[in-house]
Every structure is written in C-alpha cells, then in structure tokens.
Amino acid sequence: MRYWVLAMTLLVLGGAAWAGAGVHDRLVMGDNLPVSTRSAQADRWLRAHAGAGKPDLVVVAEVTAGPAGAAAGGVDDVRAAAAGRRLTAALAADPGVSLARSYWAGGDRGLRSSDGRSAVAMAWLRGDLQDRLRTARRLVPRLPRHQGPLAVTVGGDSQVRVEAQKRSEHDLRVAELVALPLTLAVLLVVFGSLVAALIPLAMGAFCLVGAMALLRLLSEVTPVSVYALNIASLIGFALAVDFSLFIVTRFREELARQRPVPEAVRHAIATTGRAMGLSAVSVLAALAALLVIPSPIVRSIAYGGIAVTALAALAALAVLPAALAVLGAGVDRLAVPGPWSAGRRSGPGAAAQGSPFWARLARLVMRRPVAVTTAAGALLLLLAAPLLHVRFGIADERILPPQDPAARAGQLIRDRFDAQLLPLTVVLPHRAHPGDYPRRLSAVPGVVRVQAANGTFAGGRRIGAPDARSARYSVPAGTWMAATTAAAPFDHATAAVAERLRAVAAPERALVGGPGAELADTRRLVGGRLAWMLAIMALATIGVVMWMTGSPLLGLKALLLNALTLTSTFGVLVAVFQDGRLHRLVGEFTTTGTLDVIMPVVVLGVAFGVSMDYEMFLLARITEEYRRHGDTPAAVIAGLHRTGRLFTCAAAVFALVMAAMATSSVVLVKMVAVGVLTAVVVDATLVRALLVPGIMRLAGRANWWSPWRASPIARRPAAAPASAPTAAPAASAAPAIRTDTSL
C-alpha cells in the first residue's frame, strides 16, 4: 500500500501546514513555577487585593545630557518633574493598567537614583498573564521614547516576555533557513546522491510542519511555551533526519547484497528500523521524565518533544519504507560528484563498504583498551570540572541581548537603584493588622528594612512611624509588608533571606513572594523532583537495553556512559554561561554568574535521549555482528566499521541544527542548543568511538551474560533470512577481522 501511504502523507502534510499556520499566536511565555507555590500565591494575592507585587512594566526615565534638553536639577527639575507626571498619567490612563506609580506621582525616594539623574515609573496590568502581555504589546510602542527632557526606556517582566517571544519566533525562522541547506550538504556528502539525500531532509521537513500542527493542537488543552516551538521542532527535525539516515543507509546496503527491493525494505526495517524504534522509546522515556518536574515551561517543552519524537518515529517506520519501496534502486539517482567520492565507488555498493578509518580506530582500541578508556574518561571528567562550582539562578531580563531596551532598562535599575524596587513581599492574607510581626522580620539577617502598615522597621526596632504611604500595606482582605534586602533581587543571598523570613513565626500562614522567593521555590521544586526524574531515566535506559540484548551489564554500561556525557555537558554549560568563557563563540549575551535552574533540566532530558539514540543504533549493530560469530572484539570492530561514518554524519546533522538554534538571541534557547550540541559531539566522538568499544573489550563475554536462560541474543537466529543470497559481492564484504590474542 506504498502509494496509498504516500498519498495520505501528502494530505496530512497539507492539513498540518494549514493547522500550524497560526501556532505563534497560541504560544505563551509560561512561568517557571506552578500557581500552587507560595511565591506565586503571594504575587497573585498582591495583584488581586493590593495592586502591588512584581510590576509588569518598569519605565526608567533619564535626564538627557544634551544642553538643549538638559534639566539642571535632574529629575527634580520643574520641566523633568512635569514630564514625569505626564508619563505617569499616560500609563495610568490606559484601560489595561490597574495601577501606576512613579517617583513624581508618589514621592517615593526609593524610585529616584542616588545621583538624581534617573527615576522610575511602574505599572501593574490587569488580567491574567496573556491579558497583561497583550496590553504590553499595545501600550509600550505608544509610549514616547523622549518625554520632555527625559529619555524613556521600558522594561519589566511583561515587556521582557514580549521581547523574548518576538525574538524566539524570529530566531526559529532564521534557524530553519540555516539548518536546511547545511543538512542537505552533509547528506550529499554521506550518500553522494541527490535523491538519497533529499529523503531524510523530506522526513525532517515533514516533522517541522507536523511539529507546528501538534503544538497548535496541544495549545487547545494546555498552555504551550514559545520555547517549546523552538526546541521541540528543531529537535524533531534532527531526530527525523537521523532516523532516516540510518534506515536509508541500511536499505542501500541490502540492495548492495542483491536483495529485491521489497526484501531490502523489510530487512532494513527489521534490523535498523527495530533499533530505531527502541531508540525512539528511549528518547520518549527521557522526555517523559521531564513531566516529573511540575514547572509549566518544562512540561510544555516535554509535551512538544514527546509529540515530535513520536512523529519522527512514525515517519521513519511508516512513511520512509513506503518511499523506499517506490524508489527502489532509484534512491541512488542524480549522483553528485565531488571530493567526498574520491577513492570510493558511489552507489549502493558503497553503502555496504563501511569506513576503514573506523575499523582501524576500533582495532587500536581493542589493542589498548585500558589506556584508551582511561584517557577518554579523564578528558570527560576534565570537561565536567566546572560543575564543581555551579551556582543556579533564575532568568531575568538578561536573557535578552544587552542592547535590547528591556534588558538595558533592567541594567539601569541594577546599576542606579537599590533593591527596594523589587523587594521580598510578606503577605498575611486574612489579618487586618501585622502587630509585632514586621519588627521580628526586620531582625532577620540580610534584611535592610521592612515597611508595613504600622511603620518602618530595621534591625529589630521601629525606625519610622506610619505615614501616608503606609496605608497601602493594609487592605480590606489583609495586610502585607515589603522587606528590602542588601543583595540583588535574584541573588542566592536574597533566596536565603526568603527562606529565613518563612522560618519566622507568623500570626497566620504567611506567603513570602518576590524574586528571591521565586528562586528559592524554583530550586526546591527542581531539587525535590530531580531524583525521581533521574530514576525514571535510569530504569528506562536499563530496561530498553535489556529488552534488546538481554544483558544487564550493557544496560549499566549505557547508563554510566550517558552520565559521563551529561556531566561533561553541564561542565561546558557552566564554563560558557556562568563563567563567561568562550561565550563569544556562541554569540553575544550577558553573563550573570549563575546558571538558570530550569533550562539545564530540559538539556538533561533532551541530551539523555539523544545519547540513548546513538547508543541503541551502535549497540544494535554490534549485537547483530556478535550473533554471527560470537566474538566480542570482532563484533565491536565490525559494528564500528559499519556505523562509525554514519554516527559522524548523524552527529554532524544534529550539531548543525543545534548550532543554528544557538544563534538565537534569547539566552535560554541558546543554552539548550549549546548543551545538546555539546552532548552530541562528546557522545559521537569520545563515548561511542572510544569508551564504548574499550569497555566492551574489557568486559569480554560478560557483556552478553543474561539472568534468563534464553536471552534475546541467544533466541534470535544469527543466520540471514533464507531469501537472502549466501554471498555478498566483494565490494560489500566486511573487512578481515583478527580475533587472536593480539587484539
């Protein structure tokens, strides 16, 4: 039914293109934290009852330096003050704004910089997150960039989200335009045939279009992060190309053995296709493990990744066999001459030749397994060394390029204003008066002062009586306090202060919010569930490998090597994004001295799945060779001989796609791309080329031990199907493999 399958695929593709056309309008800039956390509850209460909490828009107004527009008295100059009041009135007059405050309208000295040349206006917007983002998109472009003698720069949480979403959509289009031609170039080098190269590329394009449609459908039942589109769609594209690359190569190899086209398709799917299916299961398990983390943004990326991985597997197991059955030997039409074809015959026979380089490398590892595994393991540990001083934080406006207005506004606030702009907030949601509670809060180490309805407190004593501004801390629904800290809002020290504030005995259950509390909740959220996530990944790894081989040792080996790959990957992430080393290689961004606590979890799931992808393909070929003759060194050499070049090319495709994604101007997307790229390169070179053969050589026959009497290796016939010819052409013969003790 190959023609029917292809016809239905074209219909589905057209429907997916139509359904996915409006996906960008349905995506959201989701939160790191679920609504059940105490910091989220505090922010929600403040918005609903006090018109306070984290402001959506923060407008920084600077006195211009030019002589014509300069204000001699800084922001207190008559003209500057009048311009500031007009700016505040423009904010307050918008129907989407629930409250607007500024230095000029409220007289709050904390909203004025120490040099008197800058001041701040803040706005809280109405509605849920999506309503607030729509208001920001409409309101911010209407605000003047110059108000009298004031230069205006707009930042704040909602504006940062708007800019990040806009940039993510643009970056995805750029990444697609970069990835597609580069992938085609690699595939042309692999196959030497335009038709063969276009098949995996078509499967990848099918997944790109399908990913948009699937995410559009997902957005009907759950919020889907804009990051899910960037990350999931490009990873789905790379997986589809990789899956198809291995299957098309095996199909050409079977044609070289003079199999009829239907038999070649069946045998390719029964061998490489089966390994691909198990590989897809392992990738799905790693992505499903992300669902253990109850973070909306992580779960939305996981949903998208699961959907596109399943789509890539479906394309490789259903659509690709139909295409190969239709093309047959025509898969090698339109040969592309070039330097990559020098010294080797093009066509299907070349597909069965393997790579002499990888065979020589495998023999070298077989001769010196201890030295090779020790050196490769030491290099991986060296890459992982920066992980020893990792410091986790959460994203702020510095996820945007430094020149972005929202990022520049945040930097101005950080440089010129104290932490009072984003204090820790303590809410007593059912109490009308705070009593002695603010005084005790002010005695907590790290707290500079506490402002409450009954005055201002510092160091465990009252330093200011209630004034006109104190009334805002008491509302009919309850009361709240603002605790200013010595450290920056998102700093580790502020998170520690938030935890200490929560430990102070309160007259009722207190809700502590603010940036520092968000960081504390995020770390607790991830740390409390990370062990379960890792356990699911470990069990899935061992289970899938044992299902294929029956060997628990091979499952443990896969788990150990994946752990090494991931630790080295995170070491590189710390060195680049926390320490700022070599960061110019991945584009300009602001180094914060911390590593975002959420995105490395995404890197963990995706990189683990990709590592298992390569593990399953290599192990499947080695197992197949071992069933032929029962010799472990010979099986490893033959397995690498047949698949080493493919791994290199598959890794190159994945690395190119991730490099295209790393051009993103949003640091969070860039971080995921660099992390997965590092994992792919490390896995395809040090791990699969050196550590896997070295460890298998050292383990010997123990690799194949099984606690069951009939393991999958023992119960599957080693012989080729009866319909296959008994002898292959000379061009497809495997290299002579020595199995004596010199190995």
Side-chain angles (χ1 to χ4, degrees):
M1 302 182 68
R2 55 192 182 276
Y3 291 104
W4 283 104
V5 170
L6 294 179
M8 290 299 298
T9 300
L10 291 176
L11 288 176
V12 170
L13 187 63
W18 174 80
V23 65
H24 290 286
D25 298 331
R26 302 285 303 179
L27 302 179
V28 301
M29 287 296 298
D31 291 312
N32 287 340
L33 295 172
V35 295
S36 59
T37 56
R38 284 182 286 180
S39 58
Q41 291 176 9
D43 186 68
R44 193 163 60 251
W45 187 93
L46 288 167
R47 285 183 175 277
H49 301 290
K54 185 165 60 176
D56 293 291
L57 299 178
V58 178
V59 183
V60 182
E62 306 173 82
V63 174
T64 54
V75 295
D76 293 312
D77 182 86
V78 174
R79 290 184 301 151
R85 285 191 291 270
R86 290 197 302 271
L87 178 63
T88 309
L91 287 171
D94 191 278
V97 176
S98 62
L99 175 68
R101 291 174 50 220
S102 73
Y103 167 68
W104 302 279
D108 189 341
R109 304 293 293 182
L111 302 182
R112 175 183 180 273
S113 65
S114 57
D115 63 1
R117 307 294 295 176
S118 305
V120 165
M122 298 185 292
W124 287 261
L125 308 182
R126 302 181 190 275
D128 60 15
L129 177 60
Q130 294 313 303
D131 292 332
R132 301 198 297 271
L133 295 186
R134 280 191 288 269
T135 299
R137 291 190 192 98
R138 174 179 52 78
L139 174 59
V140 172
R142 296 180 180 178
L143 293 176
R145 292 295 170 260
H146 288 86
Q147 185 83 45
L150 301 177
V152 176
T153 308
V154 184
D157 182 70
S158 291
Q159 183 60 15
V160 170
R161 291 172 184 266
V162 167
E163 287 297 321
Q165 184 166 358
K166 187 189 306 180
R167 287 179 175 274
S168 295
E169 294 171 4
H170 172 267
D171 294 343
L172 176 60
R173 291 191 290 269
V174 172
E176 291 171 348
L177 292 174
V178 171
L180 287 172
L182 292 178
T183 300
L184 178 60
V186 172
L187 293 173
L188 287 174
V189 173
V190 175
F191 294 120
S193 159
L194 181 60
V195 173
L198 286 175
I199 295 173
L201 195 68
M203 295 297 105
F206 175 77
C207 277
L208 271 179
V209 176
M212 294 186 181
L214 289 172
L215 291 174
R216 174 66 177 81
L217 293 175
L218 279 173
S219 69
E220 296 290 340
V221 295
T222 184
V224 177
S225 168
V226 65
Y227 299 134
L229 181 61
N230 292 64
I231 296 170
S233 59
L234 289 176
I235 286 175
F237 171 81
L239 281 175
V241 172
D242 275 10
F243 289 166
S244 304
L245 172 63
F246 283 98
I247 292 176
V248 171
T249 300
R250 186 59 184 258
F251 171 72
R252 298 170 82 224
E253 185 177 329
E254 299 305 325
L255 288 181
R257 294 193 172 100
Q258 306 303 317
R259 294 184 190 273
V261 170
E263 182 66 21
V265 172
R266 284 195 293 268
H267 198 73
I269 298 300
T271 53
T272 304
R274 177 176 176 273
M276 189 233 77
L278 291 174
S279 170
V281 169
S282 64
V283 175
L284 288 170
L287 292 172
L290 290 174
L291 299 176
V292 173
I293 307 296
S295 167
I297 188 171
V298 172
R299 287 188 170 177
S300 118
I301 293 173
Y303 289 138
I306 290 170
V308 299
T309 301
L311 183 63
L314 178 65
L317 291 177
V319 181
L320 180 59
L324 294 177
V326 170
L327 288 171
V331 73
D332 286 299
R333 289 175 183 163
L334 302 180
V336 180
W340 50 81
S341 60
R344 66 177 180 89
R345 183 165 60 89
S346 62
Q353 287 181 0
S355 169
F357 167 79
W358 286 96
R360 289 193 297 270
L361 179 62
R363 291 192 184 97
L364 173 64
V365 177
M366 294 300 102
R367 287 195 296 270
R368 300 285 187 273
V370 175
V372 170
T373 53
T374 301
L379 184 54
L380 287 177
L381 293 176
L382 182 64
L383 290 174
L387 195 57
L388 296 174
H389 63 270
V390 63
R391 297 177 72 248
F392 289 109
I394 56 177
D396 55 22
E397 77 283 345
R398 288 173 290 183
I399 64 171
L400 300 173
Q403 67 273 16
D404 188 278
R408 197 165 69 85
Q411 191 60 47
L412 289 172
I413 291 170
R414 193 175 290 105
D415 294 340
R416 302 182 184 181
F417 297 84
D418 63 20
Q420 186 179 353
L421 287 179
L422 293 174
L424 290 171
T425 54
V426 184
V427 176
L428 298 176
H430 306 294
R431 194 173 182 87
H433 194 277
D436 191 47
Y437 187 48
R439 183 190 64 78
R440 289 184 282 117
L441 291 177
S442 71
V444 169
V447 174
V448 175
R449 61 183 175 272
V450 174
Q451 293 174 292
N454 55 348
T456 303
F457 301 82
R461 59 188 180 87
R462 187 197 303 268
I463 62 171
D467 55 23
R469 289 175 295 172
S470 300
R472 66 188 296 260
Y473 295 104
S474 182
V475 295
T479 187
W480 64 285
M481 292 134 274
T484 304
T485 60
F490 289 99
D491 195 86
H492 279 261
T494 306
V497 172
E499 296 285 21
R500 289 195 287 269
L501 290 176
R502 287 170 174 169
V504 176
E508 65 175 43
R509 183 175 181 269
L511 303 175
V512 178
E518 290 178 20
L519 175 56
D521 285 343
T522 305
R523 291 193 303 188
R524 184 185 299 108
L525 184 95
V526 174
R529 300 293 185 91
L530 188 60
W532 287 103
M533 176 181 168
L534 295 175
I536 292 172
M537 289 181 173
L539 291 175
T541 297
I542 296 173
V544 171
V545 174
M546 288 184 66
W547 176 265
M548 186 173 71
T549 66
S551 168
L553 181 64
L554 290 178
L556 291 173
K557 183 266 301 176
L559 183 62
L560 172 64
L561 294 184
N562 277 3
L564 279 174
T565 299
L566 291 173
T567 52
S568 61
T569 297
F570 287 127
V572 172
L573 287 181
V574 171
V576 174
F577 291 96
Q578 175 181 305
D579 302 340
R581 300 173 187 168
L582 304 177
H583 72 281
R584 294 188 183 277
L585 294 179
V586 295
E588 185 181 10
F589 64 92
T590 302
T591 303
T592 63
T594 61
L595 199 65
D596 181 73
V597 72
I598 289 294
M599 283 305 170
V601 176
V602 177
V603 173
L604 175 63
V606 175
F608 192 95
V610 173
S611 297
M612 280 303 298
D613 176 27
Y614 293 160
E615 173 76 19
M616 297 306 295
F617 278 114
L618 176 58
L619 195 54
R621 194 61 189 249
I622 292 175
T623 302
E624 183 180 342
E625 297 295 335
Y626 181 80
R627 283 166 38 217
R628 296 181 191 276
H629 42 66
D631 185 285
T632 299
V636 172
I637 294 173
L640 275 177
H641 171 72
R642 296 293 190 196
T643 62
R645 181 170 172 270
L646 288 180
F647 280 124
T648 304
C649 296
V653 169
F654 222 111
L656 285 173
V657 173
M658 291 301 103
M661 194 166 99
T663 62
S664 173
S665 55
V666 180
V667 171
L668 298 182
V669 176
K670 188 187 296 288
M671 184 182 300
V672 174
V674 172
V676 177
L677 187 153
T678 302
V680 166
V681 172
V682 167
D683 194 83
T685 54
L686 294 176
V687 175
R688 304 301 157 209
L690 301 176
L691 284 175
V692 168
I695 292 175
M696 292 191 73
R697 174 67 177 92
L698 293 172
R701 293 192 62 84
N703 286 298
W704 316 107
W705 175 83
S706 174
W708 297 279
R709 289 186 177 181
S711 71
I713 295 174
R715 66 172 178 260
R716 291 195 183 94
S723 61
T726 56
S732 65
I737 299 172
R738 296 173 54 201
T739 59
D740 56 24
T741 55
S742 65
L743 283 173

